[in-house]
Amino acid sequence: MKAAILGTGSWATGLARVLNDNGVEVLMYGVDDREIDDINIRHCNYKYFKNVKLEKNIRATKNLADVIDGASYIIITVPTQFVRSVLEQVKPLLKTKVTIINAAKGFDMNTNMRISDTIRSVFTNSEINPVVSLIGPSHAEEVVIRMLTAVCAVSLDEKTAQDVQKLFSNDYLRVYTLTDEIGAEYGAAYKNVIAVASGILKGLGYGDNSRAALITRGLVEMTRYGMLKGGKAETFFGLTGVGDLIVTCSSEHSRNFQAGKEIGLSDNASDFMAGNQKTVEGIRTCKVIHDDILKNYPEFEAPITNCVYEVLYENGKPSEKVKELMNRTLKSESIKG
């Protein structure tokens, strides 16, 4: 059995090791010669993991045709803005029906679609099995060193989800199945916005009480929005909701948290936005959600997202936005309020 992994970044490397441990042949597709040479020659990926030695049969190449040839599974780990263009290159290379597994969290850069919808817009039902997303609270830095982790295989088709569940599960990675694709994917994306806010609080010098309040009210906000889009409330209290929210809002491994922290330390986003070259999905996701609410749900309240948007895109001062949140109209605690 062979799995093709699109990407040579941290998550690609972590999942490659999981599959290799499970006896699956893996070949990674990348565009960075240094990362490819690290993987093939030095058996590491030093850019992301300073002290991790990889198995010799984990390999990478720039030849996409070689990666796709003979693969039963194609795993997407590239940043969301590149997903469509890479899949359009994959399409003519398919010779047999495959299962495409999305491990990216966010929205299509050009259409604002969920990534599962993007995949289905590129491929026909005769080319691919039902799409599966592998998402949940999982930092590559911990998965790659085999720390205990639990995620979800999410698909509209439960049997395909169960297949992917078996593909990845082992004694350090436990995979659950879930069929609420809408709820899971909106939760996995929205939590990045809350993580940026959490980092901002950290950078401003606020403590555990502050972030606990933010995470809790952030959960309410993303649950209400996800339900508005068609997701189920219970999904947001599982791994792809509160689980992913906790880890992304609390960990130094999180790029979204780190971005927010840097913004909070300077009490403005202008310098960060001008100089940032890393993929921070929460920045793009914040704009997608903000614009969607403004256009389609003008009565919907998303105070945290609005404040993050104003900081990122309207030069709002983070310390002032915190005060605005704390001085909103008082109300009872409810998923509706």
Side-chain angles (χ1 to χ4, degrees):
M1 187 185 298
K2 177 184 174 182
I5 300 180
L6 305 181
T8 53
S10 57
W11 196 215
T13 306
L15 292 179
R17 169 165 268 185
V18 172
L19 292 174
N20 182 73
D21 285 349
N22 291 358
V24 178
E25 178 189 351
V26 293
L27 186 58
M28 305 163 71
Y29 168 71
V31 295
D32 188 315
D33 287 322
R34 291 170 298 178
E35 291 175 17
I36 291 171
D37 286 345
D38 260 1
I39 292 165
N40 293 337
I41 300 170
R42 290 172 283 276
H43 307 299
C44 65
N45 199 340
Y46 191 76
K47 179 179 178 181
Y48 303 99
F49 311 116
K50 305 302 183 189
N51 300 303
V52 175
K53 193 73 172 178
L54 299 172
E55 291 70 30
K56 293 182 179 180
N57 49 339
I58 295 177
R59 298 175 297 116
T61 179
K62 293 177 75 172
N63 189 321
L64 184 57
D66 285 349
V67 174
I68 300 303
D69 186 43
S72 301
Y73 303 90
I74 298 175
I75 297 114
I76 301 169
T77 68
V78 296
T80 54
Q81 64 262 39
F82 302 122
V83 168
R84 181 177 291 274
S85 61
V86 172
L87 292 183
E88 288 173 347
Q89 296 174 59
V90 168
K91 185 179 174 71
L93 300 174
L94 292 181
K95 298 176 182 177
T96 58
K97 200 170 187 179
V98 299
T99 298
I100 295 188
I101 303 166
N102 165 47
K105 301 173 181 178
F107 301 104
D108 187 309
M109 176 72 98
N110 298 311
T111 65
N112 296 339
M113 287 180 174
R114 290 182 293 110
I115 298 301
S116 288
D117 284 337
T118 295
I119 296 168
R120 286 187 286 263
S121 73
V122 174
F123 299 100
T124 65
N125 290 339
S126 63
E127 292 172 315
I128 62 171
N129 296 315
V131 176
V132 180
S133 288
L134 190 72
I135 47 182
S138 49
H139 286 309
E141 293 85 353
E142 296 187 2
V143 171
V144 79
I145 58 173
R146 304 183 175 98
M147 295 190 77
L148 304 182
T149 302
V151 296
C152 283
V154 185
S155 179
L156 298 175
D157 182 77
E158 190 166 11
K159 288 185 178 180
T160 310
Q162 290 170 347
D163 178 47
V164 172
Q165 177 185 45
K166 293 174 184 175
L167 181 72
F168 282 94
S169 292
N170 57 30
D171 60 2
Y172 63 88
L173 182 65
R174 182 172 176 83
V175 183
Y176 292 83
T177 61
L178 187 65
T179 57
D180 180 14
E181 182 185 274
I182 294 175
E185 292 190 0
Y186 273 111
Y190 206 123
K191 55 88 184 177
N192 288 329
V193 180
I194 309 303
V196 173
S198 180
I200 289 173
L201 287 182
K202 180 71 173 179
L204 288 172
Y206 291 103
D208 294 340
N209 292 358
S210 310
R211 281 192 288 156
L214 174 80
I215 290 170
T216 306
R217 295 309 300 175
L219 175 61
V220 171
E221 187 169 303
M222 78 181 204
T223 301
R224 291 170 60 231
Y225 179 74
M227 291 172 64
L228 196 66
K229 303 301 288 187
K232 299 176 181 177
E234 59 265 29
T235 299
F236 295 91
F237 294 89
L239 289 167
T240 61
V242 67
D244 215 349
L245 183 66
I246 290 170
V247 75
T248 312
C249 287
S250 306
S251 175
E252 297 289 338
H253 292 315
S254 167
R255 289 183 183 181
N256 295 283
F257 178 82
Q258 286 290 349
K261 183 178 176 181
E262 188 173 332
I263 291 167
L265 285 168
S266 59
D267 205 14
N268 77 81
S270 56
D271 291 342
F272 177 84
M273 295 290 278
N276 178 56
Q277 295 182 349
K278 294 181 180 180
T279 300
V280 183
E281 295 286 2
I283 292 175
R284 165 69 180 163
T285 298
C286 181
K287 188 176 190 312
V288 171
I289 293 172
H290 174 273
D291 291 353
D292 180 47
I293 292 171
L294 194 65
K295 179 180 179 180
N296 299 308
Y297 312 102
E299 301 301 316
F300 183 81
E301 293 187 17
I304 298 172
T305 298
N306 288 341
C307 283
V308 173
Y309 178 87
E310 289 166 8
V311 167
L312 295 175
Y313 295 101
E314 296 180 351
N315 204 32
K317 193 175 180 65
S319 56
E320 293 178 358
K321 295 303 167 184
V322 171
K323 292 178 181 178
E324 285 182 20
L325 285 172
M326 292 301 292
N327 286 288
R328 294 177 66 237
T329 302
L330 298 176
K331 57 186 67 178
S332 63
E333 185 182 37
S334 168
I335 199 169
K336 297 179 181 179

mmCIF file of all heavy atoms in Angstrom, residues 278-313:
data_model
loop_
_atom_site.group_PDB
_atom_site.id
_atom_site.type_symbol
_atom_site.label_atom_id
_atom_site.label_comp_id
_atom_site.label_asym_id
_atom_site.label_seq_id
_atom_site.Cartn_x
_atom_site.Cartn_y
_atom_site.Cartn_z
ATOM 1 N N LYS A 278 5.485 33.472 7.137
ATOM 2 C CA LYS A 278 5.023 32.156 7.540
ATOM 3 C C LYS A 278 3.534 31.995 7.215
ATOM 4 O O LYS A 278 2.803 32.978 7.102
ATOM 5 C CB LYS A 278 5.248 31.941 9.040
ATOM 6 C CG LYS A 278 6.700 31.891 9.451
ATOM 7 C CD LYS A 278 6.828 31.652 10.948
ATOM 8 C CE LYS A 278 8.297 31.595 11.380
ATOM 9 N NZ LYS A 278 8.431 31.362 12.837
ATOM 10 N N THR A 279 3.110 30.747 7.094
ATOM 11 C CA THR A 279 1.695 30.462 6.885
ATOM 12 C C THR A 279 0.971 30.540 8.221
ATOM 13 O O THR A 279 1.205 29.727 9.111
ATOM 14 C CB THR A 279 1.501 29.061 6.278
ATOM 15 O OG1 THR A 279 2.181 28.994 5.023
ATOM 16 C CG2 THR A 279 0.023 28.776 6.064
ATOM 17 N N VAL A 280 0.123 31.549 8.374
ATOM 18 C CA VAL A 280 -0.676 31.723 9.588
ATOM 19 C C VAL A 280 -2.135 31.694 9.142
ATOM 20 O O VAL A 280 -2.701 32.713 8.745
ATOM 21 C CB VAL A 280 -0.341 33.044 10.318
ATOM 22 C CG1 VAL A 280 -1.142 33.149 11.614
ATOM 23 C CG2 VAL A 280 1.156 33.120 10.624
ATOM 24 N N GLU A 281 -2.737 30.501 9.184
ATOM 25 C CA GLU A 281 -4.071 30.317 8.607
ATOM 26 C C GLU A 281 -5.115 31.219 9.256
ATOM 27 O O GLU A 281 -6.082 31.633 8.614
ATOM 28 C CB GLU A 281 -4.505 28.847 8.728
ATOM 29 C CG GLU A 281 -3.668 27.865 7.913
ATOM 30 C CD GLU A 281 -3.935 27.920 6.417
ATOM 31 O OE1 GLU A 281 -4.757 28.757 5.983
ATOM 32 O OE2 GLU A 281 -3.315 27.146 5.678
ATOM 33 N N GLY A 282 -4.947 31.550 10.528
ATOM 34 C CA GLY A 282 -5.937 32.356 11.229
ATOM 35 C C GLY A 282 -6.099 33.754 10.652
ATOM 36 O O GLY A 282 -7.176 34.347 10.746
ATOM 37 N N ILE A 283 -5.037 34.297 10.038
ATOM 38 C CA ILE A 283 -5.119 35.637 9.460
ATOM 39 C C ILE A 283 -6.074 35.644 8.276
ATOM 40 O O ILE A 283 -6.968 36.485 8.178
ATOM 41 C CB ILE A 283 -3.713 36.126 9.049
ATOM 42 C CG1 ILE A 283 -2.856 36.351 10.301
ATOM 43 C CG2 ILE A 283 -3.807 37.402 8.220
ATOM 44 C CD1 ILE A 283 -1.418 36.721 10.012
ATOM 45 N N ARG A 284 -5.897 34.691 7.381
ATOM 46 C CA ARG A 284 -6.777 34.579 6.213
ATOM 47 C C ARG A 284 -8.187 34.159 6.637
ATOM 48 O O ARG A 284 -9.186 34.707 6.162
ATOM 49 C CB ARG A 284 -6.166 33.560 5.247
ATOM 50 C CG ARG A 284 -7.098 33.054 4.166
ATOM 51 C CD ARG A 284 -7.439 34.108 3.145
ATOM 52 N NE ARG A 284 -8.327 33.566 2.127
ATOM 53 C CZ ARG A 284 -9.051 34.297 1.300
ATOM 54 N NH1 ARG A 284 -9.002 35.609 1.373
ATOM 55 N NH2 ARG A 284 -9.837 33.730 0.404
ATOM 56 N N THR A 285 -8.276 33.196 7.545
ATOM 57 C CA THR A 285 -9.573 32.695 7.994
ATOM 58 C C THR A 285 -10.400 33.797 8.641
ATOM 59 O O THR A 285 -11.620 33.868 8.447
ATOM 60 C CB THR A 285 -9.383 31.536 8.985
ATOM 61 O OG1 THR A 285 -8.702 30.468 8.323
ATOM 62 C CG2 THR A 285 -10.710 31.031 9.515
ATOM 63 N N CYS A 286 -9.757 34.657 9.392
ATOM 64 C CA CYS A 286 -10.461 35.761 10.050
ATOM 65 C C CYS A 286 -11.172 36.639 9.023
ATOM 66 O O CYS A 286 -12.335 37.014 9.203
ATOM 67 C CB CYS A 286 -9.476 36.600 10.858
ATOM 68 S SG CYS A 286 -10.233 37.968 11.748
ATOM 69 N N LYS A 287 -10.502 36.925 7.923
ATOM 70 C CA LYS A 287 -11.112 37.767 6.877
ATOM 71 C C LYS A 287 -12.269 37.041 6.196
ATOM 72 O O LYS A 287 -13.322 37.645 5.928
ATOM 73 C CB LYS A 287 -10.065 38.172 5.848
ATOM 74 C CG LYS A 287 -10.581 39.191 4.836
ATOM 75 C CD LYS A 287 -9.497 39.643 3.884
ATOM 76 C CE LYS A 287 -9.953 40.828 3.045
ATOM 77 N NZ LYS A 287 -11.273 40.681 2.424
ATOM 78 N N VAL A 288 -12.088 35.750 5.927
ATOM 79 C CA VAL A 288 -13.151 34.975 5.276
ATOM 80 C C VAL A 288 -14.409 34.972 6.134
ATOM 81 O O VAL A 288 -15.519 35.231 5.646
ATOM 82 C CB VAL A 288 -12.689 33.526 5.015
ATOM 83 C CG1 VAL A 288 -13.860 32.667 4.533
ATOM 84 C CG2 VAL A 288 -11.571 33.505 3.976
ATOM 85 N N ILE A 289 -14.250 34.688 7.427
ATOM 86 C CA ILE A 289 -15.413 34.615 8.317
ATOM 87 C C ILE A 289 -16.032 35.996 8.516
ATOM 88 O O ILE A 289 -17.258 36.156 8.462
ATOM 89 C CB ILE A 289 -15.008 33.995 9.672
ATOM 90 C CG1 ILE A 289 -14.632 32.525 9.476
ATOM 91 C CG2 ILE A 289 -16.146 34.117 10.691
ATOM 92 C CD1 ILE A 289 -14.049 31.868 10.707
ATOM 93 N N HIS A 290 -15.199 36.999 8.737
ATOM 94 C CA HIS A 290 -15.701 38.365 8.923
ATOM 95 C C HIS A 290 -16.513 38.816 7.721
ATOM 96 O O HIS A 290 -17.634 39.344 7.856
ATOM 97 C CB HIS A 290 -14.530 39.320 9.162
ATOM 98 C CG HIS A 290 -14.920 40.769 9.224
ATOM 99 N ND1 HIS A 290 -15.012 41.570 8.094
ATOM 100 C CD2 HIS A 290 -15.267 41.558 10.271
ATOM 101 C CE1 HIS A 290 -15.379 42.773 8.442
ATOM 102 N NE2 HIS A 290 -15.539 42.806 9.755
ATOM 103 N N ASP A 291 -15.970 38.598 6.518
ATOM 104 C CA ASP A 291 -16.655 39.042 5.306
ATOM 105 C C ASP A 291 -17.938 38.251 5.068
ATOM 106 O O ASP A 291 -18.947 38.799 4.597
ATOM 107 C CB ASP A 291 -15.729 38.911 4.097
ATOM 108 C CG ASP A 291 -14.569 39.901 4.137
ATOM 109 O OD1 ASP A 291 -14.563 40.767 5.041
ATOM 110 O OD2 ASP A 291 -13.671 39.795 3.284
ATOM 111 N N ASP A 292 -17.917 36.963 5.394
ATOM 112 C CA ASP A 292 -19.110 36.128 5.230
ATOM 113 C C ASP A 292 -20.234 36.607 6.146
ATOM 114 O O ASP A 292 -21.392 36.727 5.730
ATOM 115 C CB ASP A 292 -18.767 34.667 5.548
ATOM 116 C CG ASP A 292 -19.965 33.739 5.400
ATOM 117 O OD1 ASP A 292 -20.665 33.830 4.375
ATOM 118 O OD2 ASP A 292 -20.196 32.923 6.321
ATOM 119 N N ILE A 293 -19.890 36.907 7.386
ATOM 120 C CA ILE A 293 -20.896 37.402 8.339
ATOM 121 C C ILE A 293 -21.448 38.742 7.888
ATOM 122 O O ILE A 293 -22.657 38.979 7.895
ATOM 123 C CB ILE A 293 -20.285 37.504 9.755
ATOM 124 C CG1 ILE A 293 -19.972 36.105 10.304
ATOM 125 C CG2 ILE A 293 -21.222 38.259 10.697
ATOM 126 C CD1 ILE A 293 -19.175 36.109 11.595
ATOM 127 N N LEU A 294 -20.553 39.630 7.472
ATOM 128 C CA LEU A 294 -20.968 40.969 7.045
ATOM 129 C C LEU A 294 -21.922 40.903 5.863
ATOM 130 O O LEU A 294 -22.929 41.631 5.800
ATOM 131 C CB LEU A 294 -19.730 41.790 6.675
ATOM 132 C CG LEU A 294 -19.904 43.300 6.514
ATOM 133 C CD1 LEU A 294 -20.296 43.940 7.845
ATOM 134 C CD2 LEU A 294 -18.621 43.927 5.982
ATOM 135 N N LYS A 295 -21.643 40.001 4.935
ATOM 136 C CA LYS A 295 -22.445 39.902 3.717
ATOM 137 C C LYS A 295 -23.736 39.110 3.901
ATOM 138 O O LYS A 295 -24.802 39.515 3.414
ATOM 139 C CB LYS A 295 -21.609 39.248 2.610
ATOM 140 C CG LYS A 295 -22.353 39.074 1.297
ATOM 141 C CD LYS A 295 -21.464 38.414 0.251
ATOM 142 C CE LYS A 295 -22.216 38.215 -1.064
ATOM 143 N NZ LYS A 295 -21.358 37.567 -2.088
ATOM 144 N N ASN A 296 -23.640 37.980 4.615
ATOM 145 C CA ASN A 296 -24.759 37.034 4.638
ATOM 146 C C ASN A 296 -25.508 36.952 5.966
ATOM 147 O O ASN A 296 -26.659 36.502 5.988
ATOM 148 C CB ASN A 296 -24.251 35.637 4.275
ATOM 149 C CG ASN A 296 -23.659 35.592 2.880
ATOM 150 O OD1 ASN A 296 -24.298 36.008 1.923
ATOM 151 N ND2 ASN A 296 -22.426 35.099 2.765
ATOM 152 N N TYR A 297 -24.878 37.383 7.059
ATOM 153 C CA TYR A 297 -25.516 37.253 8.376
ATOM 154 C C TYR A 297 -25.312 38.533 9.181
ATOM 155 O O TYR A 297 -24.676 38.524 10.249
ATOM 156 C CB TYR A 297 -24.928 36.060 9.139
ATOM 157 C CG TYR A 297 -24.842 34.789 8.320
ATOM 158 C CD1 TYR A 297 -23.620 34.387 7.769
ATOM 159 C CD2 TYR A 297 -25.962 34.000 8.088
ATOM 160 C CE1 TYR A 297 -23.523 33.222 7.012
ATOM 161 C CE2 TYR A 297 -25.877 32.834 7.343
ATOM 162 C CZ TYR A 297 -24.653 32.448 6.801
ATOM 163 O OH TYR A 297 -24.560 31.301 6.053
ATOM 164 N N PRO A 298 -25.817 39.659 8.711
ATOM 165 C CA PRO A 298 -25.523 40.954 9.351
ATOM 166 C C PRO A 298 -26.005 41.069 10.795
ATOM 167 O O PRO A 298 -25.489 41.908 11.543
ATOM 168 C CB PRO A 298 -26.252 41.960 8.445
ATOM 169 C CG PRO A 298 -27.290 41.163 7.720
ATOM 170 C CD PRO A 298 -26.703 39.810 7.540
ATOM 171 N N GLU A 299 -26.950 40.231 11.214
ATOM 172 C CA GLU A 299 -27.444 40.289 12.585
ATOM 173 C C GLU A 299 -26.630 39.402 13.531
ATOM 174 O O GLU A 299 -26.823 39.440 14.745
ATOM 175 C CB GLU A 299 -28.918 39.854 12.634
ATOM 176 C CG GLU A 299 -29.853 40.700 11.772
ATOM 177 C CD GLU A 299 -29.811 42.167 12.174
ATOM 178 O OE1 GLU A 299 -29.838 42.434 13.387
ATOM 179 O OE2 GLU A 299 -29.758 43.020 11.267
ATOM 180 N N PHE A 300 -25.714 38.608 12.975
ATOM 181 C CA PHE A 300 -24.943 37.660 13.784
ATOM 182 C C PHE A 300 -23.827 38.389 14.525
ATOM 183 O O PHE A 300 -23.106 39.211 13.943
ATOM 184 C CB PHE A 300 -24.352 36.578 12.883
ATOM 185 C CG PHE A 300 -23.591 35.517 13.620
ATOM 186 C CD1 PHE A 300 -24.254 34.472 14.236
ATOM 187 C CD2 PHE A 300 -22.203 35.558 13.703
ATOM 188 C CE1 PHE A 300 -23.549 33.489 14.922
ATOM 189 C CE2 PHE A 300 -21.492 34.589 14.383
ATOM 190 C CZ PHE A 300 -22.180 33.556 14.990
ATOM 191 N N GLU A 301 -23.663 38.081 15.815
ATOM 192 C CA GLU A 301 -22.623 38.711 16.631
ATOM 193 C C GLU A 301 -21.403 37.814 16.731
ATOM 194 O O GLU A 301 -21.496 36.663 17.153
ATOM 195 C CB GLU A 301 -23.156 39.019 18.029
ATOM 196 C CG GLU A 301 -24.246 40.092 18.054
ATOM 197 C CD GLU A 301 -24.624 40.477 19.471
ATOM 198 O OE1 GLU A 301 -23.856 40.185 20.399
ATOM 199 O OE2 GLU A 301 -25.700 41.073 19.643
ATOM 200 N N ALA A 302 -20.254 38.361 16.353
ATOM 201 C CA ALA A 302 -18.978 37.641 16.472
ATOM 202 C C ALA A 302 -17.942 38.618 17.012
ATOM 203 O O ALA A 302 -17.024 39.042 16.299
ATOM 204 C CB ALA A 302 -18.553 37.085 15.120
ATOM 205 N N PRO A 303 -18.070 38.994 18.275
ATOM 206 C CA PRO A 303 -17.230 40.067 18.814
ATOM 207 C C PRO A 303 -15.731 39.776 18.789
ATOM 208 O O PRO A 303 -14.927 40.677 18.525
ATOM 209 C CB PRO A 303 -17.745 40.227 20.257
ATOM 210 C CG PRO A 303 -18.452 38.941 20.566
ATOM 211 C CD PRO A 303 -19.032 38.489 19.269
ATOM 212 N N ILE A 304 -15.330 38.526 19.064
ATOM 213 C CA ILE A 304 -13.897 38.215 19.072
ATOM 214 C C ILE A 304 -13.332 38.308 17.665
ATOM 215 O O ILE A 304 -12.292 38.934 17.428
ATOM 216 C CB ILE A 304 -13.649 36.817 19.678
ATOM 217 C CG1 ILE A 304 -14.112 36.783 21.135
ATOM 218 C CG2 ILE A 304 -12.159 36.453 19.591
ATOM 219 C CD1 ILE A 304 -14.091 35.404 21.764
ATOM 220 N N THR A 305 -14.023 37.696 16.713
ATOM 221 C CA THR A 305 -13.577 37.744 15.324
ATOM 222 C C THR A 305 -13.526 39.174 14.813
ATOM 223 O O THR A 305 -12.574 39.565 14.118
ATOM 224 C CB THR A 305 -14.509 36.904 14.428
ATOM 225 O OG1 THR A 305 -14.452 35.545 14.855
ATOM 226 C CG2 THR A 305 -14.100 36.986 12.964
ATOM 227 N N ASN A 306 -14.527 39.963 15.154
ATOM 228 C CA ASN A 306 -14.546 41.361 14.717
ATOM 229 C C ASN A 306 -13.343 42.130 15.248
ATOM 230 O O ASN A 306 -12.715 42.909 14.522
ATOM 231 C CB ASN A 306 -15.841 42.049 15.165
ATOM 232 C CG ASN A 306 -17.048 41.568 14.377
ATOM 233 O OD1 ASN A 306 -16.911 41.013 13.297
ATOM 234 N ND2 ASN A 306 -18.234 41.783 14.928
ATOM 235 N N CYS A 307 -13.022 41.901 16.521
ATOM 236 C CA CYS A 307 -11.883 42.613 17.109
ATOM 237 C C CYS A 307 -10.562 42.166 16.484
ATOM 238 O O CYS A 307 -9.679 42.990 16.214
ATOM 239 C CB CYS A 307 -11.856 42.390 18.623
ATOM 240 S SG CYS A 307 -13.070 43.384 19.520
ATOM 241 N N VAL A 308 -10.406 40.860 16.251
ATOM 242 C CA VAL A 308 -9.185 40.363 15.602
ATOM 243 C C VAL A 308 -9.083 40.948 14.199
ATOM 244 O O VAL A 308 -7.999 41.368 13.763
ATOM 245 C CB VAL A 308 -9.163 38.821 15.565
ATOM 246 C CG1 VAL A 308 -7.974 38.323 14.744
ATOM 247 C CG2 VAL A 308 -9.094 38.252 16.979
ATOM 248 N N TYR A 309 -10.195 40.995 13.480
ATOM 249 C CA TYR A 309 -10.198 41.564 12.129
ATOM 250 C C TYR A 309 -9.757 43.027 12.157
ATOM 251 O O TYR A 309 -8.938 43.461 11.329
ATOM 252 C CB TYR A 309 -11.599 41.452 11.519
ATOM 253 C CG TYR A 309 -11.697 42.058 10.131
ATOM 254 C CD1 TYR A 309 -11.388 41.306 9.002
ATOM 255 C CD2 TYR A 309 -12.090 43.385 9.967
ATOM 256 C CE1 TYR A 309 -11.467 41.860 7.731
ATOM 257 C CE2 TYR A 309 -12.168 43.948 8.703
ATOM 258 C CZ TYR A 309 -11.858 43.187 7.590
ATOM 259 O OH TYR A 309 -11.923 43.748 6.339
ATOM 260 N N GLU A 310 -10.299 43.787 13.096
ATOM 261 C CA GLU A 310 -9.955 45.213 13.179
ATOM 262 C C GLU A 310 -8.477 45.403 13.507
ATOM 263 O O GLU A 310 -7.844 46.340 13.015
ATOM 264 C CB GLU A 310 -10.843 45.888 14.218
ATOM 265 C CG GLU A 310 -12.298 46.021 13.751
ATOM 266 C CD GLU A 310 -13.260 46.376 14.869
ATOM 267 O OE1 GLU A 310 -12.783 46.676 15.987
ATOM 268 O OE2 GLU A 310 -14.481 46.353 14.631
ATOM 269 N N VAL A 311 -7.917 44.508 14.322
ATOM 270 C CA VAL A 311 -6.484 44.577 14.630
ATOM 271 C C VAL A 311 -5.654 44.265 13.390
ATOM 272 O O VAL A 311 -4.686 44.961 13.064
ATOM 273 C CB VAL A 311 -6.134 43.609 15.780
ATOM 274 C CG1 VAL A 311 -4.612 43.437 15.893
ATOM 275 C CG2 VAL A 311 -6.699 44.110 17.098
ATOM 276 N N LEU A 312 -6.036 43.194 12.672
ATOM 277 C CA LEU A 312 -5.245 42.728 11.539
ATOM 278 C C LEU A 312 -5.387 43.612 10.305
ATOM 279 O O LEU A 312 -4.402 43.847 9.584
ATOM 280 C CB LEU A 312 -5.656 41.301 11.171
ATOM 281 C CG LEU A 312 -5.378 40.207 12.205
ATOM 282 C CD1 LEU A 312 -5.956 38.879 11.725
ATOM 283 C CD2 LEU A 312 -3.880 40.068 12.462
ATOM 284 N N TYR A 313 -6.592 44.105 10.052
ATOM 285 C CA TYR A 313 -6.868 44.742 8.763
ATOM 286 C C TYR A 313 -7.249 46.218 8.845
ATOM 287 O O TYR A 313 -7.312 46.886 7.811
ATOM 288 C CB TYR A 313 -7.984 43.975 8.046
ATOM 289 C CG TYR A 313 -7.576 42.569 7.667
ATOM 290 C CD1 TYR A 313 -7.984 41.478 8.430
ATOM 291 C CD2 TYR A 313 -6.773 42.328 6.555
ATOM 292 C CE1 TYR A 313 -7.608 40.175 8.090
ATOM 293 C CE2 TYR A 313 -6.389 41.039 6.206
ATOM 294 C CZ TYR A 313 -6.813 39.971 6.973
ATOM 295 O OH TYR A 313 -6.440 38.690 6.638
#
